Amino acid sequence: MSWPVAELDAVARMRVLAAALPGAFLAEAVLDAPFDRVWAVAADLENELPRLLRTVRSVRILRDDGEEQVADITGRFGLRDSFDVVLRSGWCVMQSGRVVGGMAAVAEGSGTRFAFLGALRVPGTRPFGPVLRLAGRPLGRGMHARLRDRVAEG
């Protein structure tokens, strides 16, 4: 007997993660730049994440064990948290006790499909899921616009 096999690229896996997390939002866009250039910017968490995501003031990698890292992230309003990070080519998931964030990218034609995920991990989030998804849309659009600019700058 052979079982069907479903292979998902990084963006499709991020869609699954967004669907599984209550109150998560997912923003996708196709950037007119090759995967390597897009991912080089997105994966530079310490230098680029504060430029890309307006809610982040600073990122400091505390431990780097290859694909697994621990990062100290401070928000614009002083909120500080330690995040477990999985970072590999085309895939990044960061989670603390309160927040989950993610980025995924795949080559699409001559461009790159890029997905950005955000979710709260606090009790009582599920009923507010639709509102949180709506609130996340402008955050995702802004991140995509800044990512386009940073990639274009080289």
Side-chain angles (χ1 to χ4, degrees):
M1 181 183 305
S2 66
W3 290 91
V5 175
E7 293 190 24
L8 302 175
D9 66 30
V11 171
R13 286 194 324 263
M14 194 62 67
R15 288 183 199 127
V16 171
L17 184 57
L21 291 168
F25 72 87
L26 183 73
E28 284 185 45
V30 177
L31 297 136
D32 188 22
F35 171 87
D36 291 338
R37 282 188 26 219
V38 171
W39 196 250
V41 172
D44 184 359
L45 300 179
E46 284 186 314
N47 296 306
E48 296 295 339
L49 195 58
R51 292 177 175 163
L52 299 175
L53 192 55
R54 299 283 177 167
T55 58
V56 172
R57 186 176 63 190
S58 68
V59 176
R60 190 174 57 147
I61 303 299
L62 303 175
R63 192 181 82 232
D64 186 348
D65 297 329
E67 291 184 353
E68 296 181 8
Q69 302 175 355
V70 174
D72 182 57
I73 299 178
T74 303
R76 294 268 177 226
F77 305 106
L79 184 61
R80 184 176 170 190
D81 218 338
S82 179
F83 284 74
D84 292 323
V85 179
V86 174
L87 178 63
R88 59 180 67 111
S89 182
W91 179 260
C92 178
V93 174
M94 303 166 278
Q95 66 176 341
S96 73
R98 297 178 279 203
V99 177
V100 177
M103 300 180 290
V106 294
E108 185 168 296
S110 62
T112 303
R113 178 168 292 277
F114 187 87
F116 170 65
L117 170 133
L120 297 176
R121 294 182 69 189
V122 293
T125 302
R126 188 173 304 279
F128 300 102
V131 172
L132 293 170
R133 280 189 287 281
L134 258 162
R137 286 183 186 159
L139 187 66
R141 281 193 302 267
M143 183 184 190
H144 285 132
R146 288 183 291 281
L147 179 58
R148 277 187 186 96
D149 292 346
R150 295 296 297 154
V151 169
E153 290 172 13

